[in-house]
Amino acid sequence: MSAPTLERTGRPDAAPAPAGRAPRRRPDPFKLVGWLVCALVCLAILYPIAILLRDVAGLGQTPSILGDIKDEALAPGALETLRTTVLLVVPAGITALLIASLLAWINERTDARIGALADVTPILPMFIPPVAGAIGWVFLAAPSAGLLNGAIEGFFGWFGMDVDGPLDIFTWQGLFFVYVLDLVPFAYITLAAGFRNLDPVAEEAARISGAGPLETFRRVTLPSLGPSLGGALLIVMAIGFALFSTPVVIGTQAGVDVLSVEIVEAMTRSFPADEAKALGHGVLLLGMVTIAWLLQRRLVRSTGHATVGGKGLNSQPTRLGAFRHVARFVMVLYLLGASVLPILALVVVSLERYWTASIPWGSLTLDNYRALLDSAIVVEALRNSVVVGVTCATIGMALAAIVARMTHGETSRWAGVVEAVTRIPAAVPILVLTLAFIAAYLGEPFRLGGTTLLLVIAYTAIFFPHAVVNATSAYLQVGPQLREAGAVFGVSEGRTFWRIQLPLMLPGLTSGWAFLFVLVAGDVTVASLLAGTGNPVAGFVILDRYNTGTYPPLAAMAVITTLLTTVVVGVALGLARWQRSRATSGVRRRAGLAVPDPSAPPVTH
């Protein structure tokens, strides 16, 4: 029996094309709209960069400052700050890569997973704004009033020993430690995806040949993760060099000068702003990120590649034996250091009247929270953070979904151009991009300085690469079969995308939305230059209160911000899980498989 075939037939009344001339195709409205969206996104990214380059070259109304930028970049003080920054960020980034690799391997490849907690633990610190995490560790390990120092002194005091607290966060080592905690989640996300896609054949062959778990991890698994390691390296270095909150909170008192802090101070601590110094230091940051990008390309080309194999989905986890408890202890230790202890410190200090090393359990109060909620600027900052975060995440993911469809669903040469342009913000330090938005939108004709609209535009463009990465993954997971099936039955491209592909992409898009919201709501770097009393956000207020030394209200503000971020992200991730479950059930029903009904009574025999 022959299989039935489907053929696309033209309209019976369609006129035949003239001989020797190809029939003209009507433009698809969906593709026109899609390419228009791509053009607007590219314009939003390239316009501020072009304005900044124009001003630097002196092609606008101001004289060229190119010579001043060169002098500032090559000044002995700038080169010394560059050396200090490199000696801090590069070791911290490599250490974060190693820790993230170990955590991803434990979660994705071994039997040491701790249930659902395994997926959340490595990225849980991302729910905490970086400035709140850094301040939490200040409350824990400050040399005189740190809570951990107080606990250590109290412990030895029971035995009649007078011991000073040994911890001091205001040192290079303390700054390095918090940097590592900040960078691990960003490396983990990329590496965990690489582990999930890695075909386990080579690992199983190594185990059969007698290699132990650690030897297999070191000699087989890690070398096969070239693309993921390269991507994680680039992300960690780009974020590490642009990180502002941690060095300004800890590094300033530790006497460790970092380029990102110098850039912000050049723009905010002097009037008029020292643009030449800020851009000179920004050029140095751009050079470091470029070197990281070249290393990433070399790493990808010189090592093996992770391959996607269907067998990976059913691979047997590596059994660690007695080391399973050690691996779980490592996970718990990381959770304590990155999330639990800083949050506990913030909660305790927020309930005190004055920050002290010994906790006054009998006089804890909620007065700091009441005072905060009575403050108009604090309420406005929290509201702005939520509104800006929700708006940027929604707009960013909607645009990213269309960009992903056009760049990976079309064979046009413009697809590669659009993809390259949308990756530019990931390769340029955030502070340099923020300076470009200042140059483009503060003056004529827009005059958006001090407005919430400027924050929305800047955040959406700066974090757009993160949105595109998540949207592309969601689009590629759907696969081309449904689109081809729609074409066979004559369904238009737009209808196929809106009615079939987009609903199936929703779980991935929702997860990306949560990730984008966390980045925007907890940001301090962009807010330090674009936010003010006219458009305050949570990060700006936290930093302002830290500079004024009002620690208990500052801790309360950090707790409220963390709680707010966690609730919004938790709801979004729960919605993504529900959407994924619903989509899977739908696929199973359409495939004719039985779907268990939770409400049905059990079958008895």
Side-chain angles (χ1 to χ4, degrees), residues 454-536:
L454 178 58
L455 288 174
V456 171
I457 295 173
Y459 278 128
T460 304
I462 289 173
F463 293 124
F464 194 72
H466 300 282
V468 168
V469 168
N470 285 281
T472 300
S473 299
Y475 177 77
L476 294 178
Q477 283 178 348
V478 174
Q481 294 85 359
L482 295 176
R483 182 185 172 197
E484 293 169 359
V488 167
F489 287 99
V491 181
S492 67
E493 293 275 0
R495 190 178 176 84
T496 302
F497 179 73
W498 294 113
R499 301 293 299 274
I500 299 176
Q501 292 176 301
L502 194 59
L504 293 175
M505 291 168 62
L506 275 182
L509 295 178
T510 307
S511 299
W513 186 96
F515 183 52
L516 214 58
F517 177 83
V518 169
L519 290 177
V520 174
D523 171 77
V524 174
T525 308
V526 178
S528 64
L529 292 176
L530 296 184
T533 54
N535 58 344

Side-chain angles (χ1 to χ4, degrees), residues 22-306:
R24 296 185 62 182
R25 299 179 59 186
R26 295 177 56 187
D28 187 334
F30 171 75
K31 291 183 180 180
L32 287 178
V33 173
W35 287 121
L36 179 62
V37 169
C38 291
L40 291 176
V41 169
C42 292
L43 180 64
I45 294 172
L46 293 178
Y47 174 72
I49 297 175
I51 295 298
L52 179 64
L53 294 176
R54 184 202 65 180
D55 292 348
V56 168
L59 301 177
Q61 298 178 350
T62 56
S64 171
I65 57 173
L66 204 56
D68 296 335
I69 293 175
K70 179 182 175 183
D71 293 340
E72 292 289 347
L74 298 179
L79 295 178
E80 176 61 23
T81 306
L82 172 64
R83 188 183 71 86
T84 307
T85 306
V86 170
L87 290 178
L88 173 68
V89 174
V90 172
I94 293 174
T95 306
L97 270 182
L98 294 175
I99 294 175
S101 302
L102 181 62
L103 296 178
W105 178 68
I106 291 173
N107 279 337
E108 302 294 337
R109 282 298 203 250
T110 73
D111 60 348
R113 287 177 57 90
I114 315 177
L117 194 63
D119 294 327
V120 179
T121 296
I123 61 173
L124 197 58
M126 295 184 69
F127 297 173
I128 306 172
V131 65
I135 294 172
W137 268 104
V138 169
F139 291 151
L140 284 169
S144 57
L147 298 177
L148 286 179
N149 282 328
I152 293 172
E153 292 170 3
F155 175 78
F156 285 101
W158 289 344
F159 301 96
M161 300 171 65
D162 187 11
V163 176
D164 292 332
L167 303 178
D168 186 358
I169 198 67
F170 297 122
T171 59
W172 185 91
Q173 293 84 353
L175 182 59
F176 172 84
F177 172 71
V178 180
Y179 251 87
V180 171
L181 295 180
D182 288 339
L183 296 178
V184 165
F186 295 97
Y188 176 86
I189 290 176
T190 304
L191 291 171
F195 273 107
R196 281 194 290 271
N197 291 334
L198 186 65
D199 198 315
V201 171
E203 292 174 308
E204 292 178 359
R207 285 197 292 268
I208 293 172
S209 301
L214 290 180
E215 187 178 6
T216 302
F217 172 70
R218 182 175 61 86
R219 300 186 62 180
V220 177
T221 307
L222 272 185
S224 300
L225 286 172
S228 297
L229 281 173
L233 173 70
L234 180 60
I235 291 173
V236 163
M237 290 301 165
I239 293 176
F241 278 113
L243 194 61
F244 170 71
S245 55
T246 298
V248 76
V249 169
I250 299 176
T252 303
Q253 294 197 46
V256 180
D257 296 327
V258 178
L259 282 174
S260 57
V261 178
E262 296 281 331
I263 292 174
V264 174
E265 289 186 348
M267 293 297 293
T268 58
R269 297 290 175 86
S270 61
F271 183 82
D274 193 347
E275 294 183 356
K277 183 177 181 180
L279 289 173
H281 289 186
V283 169
L284 297 178
L285 282 183
L286 187 60
M288 293 301 101
V289 175
T290 303
I291 292 174
W293 176 69
L294 294 174
L295 287 175
Q296 182 236 358
R297 289 176 60 86
R298 182 167 184 176
L299 185 64
V300 170
R301 291 176 177 175
S302 62
T303 62
H305 294 271

Side-chain angles (χ1 to χ4, degrees), residues 270-356:
S270 61
F271 183 82
D274 193 347
E275 294 183 356
K277 183 177 181 180
L279 289 173
H281 289 186
V283 169
L284 297 178
L285 282 183
L286 187 60
M288 293 301 101
V289 175
T290 303
I291 292 174
W293 176 69
L294 294 174
L295 287 175
Q296 182 236 358
R297 289 176 60 86
R298 182 167 184 176
L299 185 64
V300 170
R301 291 176 177 175
S302 62
T303 62
H305 294 271
T307 57
V308 179
K311 191 177 179 182
L313 300 175
N314 300 317
S315 62
Q316 294 297 319
T318 300
R319 298 189 178 281
L320 298 182
F323 287 102
R324 185 176 64 171
H325 302 293
V326 177
R328 289 180 171 176
F329 176 73
V330 170
M331 295 279 293
V332 172
L333 198 62
Y334 171 77
L335 182 63
L336 286 175
S339 304
V340 176
L341 289 179
I343 289 297
L344 283 178
L346 290 171
V347 171
V348 169
V349 175
S350 71
L351 298 175
E352 295 179 347
R353 298 185 185 280
Y354 305 99
W355 173 27
T356 61

